[in-house]
């Protein structure tokens, strides 16, 4: 309730919002208010379907990093632990780890 009062107070300051922005809001409001009732209903149903599918996707992804990626966030991590606290899997046998000063990095630098 306080947020609504604060927003109304800020928007009621004269010249707080420029004339081009007010003209844009007016054009958008006129367009939305002149739509037929069926179009508004169908738009609301489609918006609800999209939000439902996105909710199911977030619930289906179990990894925290996957949820951040699904939401479009930055998923860069560091260290030996993922953000959900579990240890990362060890490298499989046969893979070479490139460590500074190790034999594999020396071989690469020589080529």
């Amino acid at each position: 309730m306080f947020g609504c009062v604060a927003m109304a107070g800020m928007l009621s300051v004269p010249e707080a919002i420029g004339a081009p922005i007010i003209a844009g809001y007016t054009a958008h409001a006129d367009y939305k208010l002149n739509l037929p009732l069926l179009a508004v209903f169908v738009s609301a149903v489609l918006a609800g379907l999209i939000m439902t599918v996105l909710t199911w996707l977030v619930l289906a992804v179990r990894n925290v990093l996957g949820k951040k990626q699904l939401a479009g966030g930055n998923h860069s991590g560091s260290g030996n632990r993922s953000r959900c606290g579990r240890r990362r899997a060890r490298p499989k046998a046969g893979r070479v780890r490139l460590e500074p000063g190790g034999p594999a990095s020396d071989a690469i630098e020589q080529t």
Side-chain angles (χ1 to χ4, degrees), residues 19-103:
I21 295 174
I22 291 176
Y25 281 150
T26 304
H28 182 71
D30 288 341
Y31 169 75
K32 288 294 188 181
L33 291 174
N34 290 327
L35 287 175
L37 188 59
L38 181 62
V40 173
F41 179 74
V42 170
S43 176
V45 169
L46 288 174
L49 286 172
I50 291 170
M51 293 306 295
T52 301
V53 169
L54 289 175
T55 302
W56 288 345
L57 283 173
V58 169
L59 291 175
V61 176
R62 296 178 186 215
N63 189 345
V64 175
L65 296 177
K67 287 183 182 186
K68 283 186 74 171
Q69 189 171 8
L70 181 66
N74 184 5
H75 58 278
S76 63
S78 62
N80 196 28
R81 292 187 181 270
S82 66
R83 293 196 186 256
C84 58
R86 294 182 297 218
R87 292 189 67 77
R88 292 184 180 154
R90 293 184 180 195
K92 295 184 179 180
R95 291 189 180 173
V96 177
R97 290 189 66 121
L98 297 178
E99 297 178 4

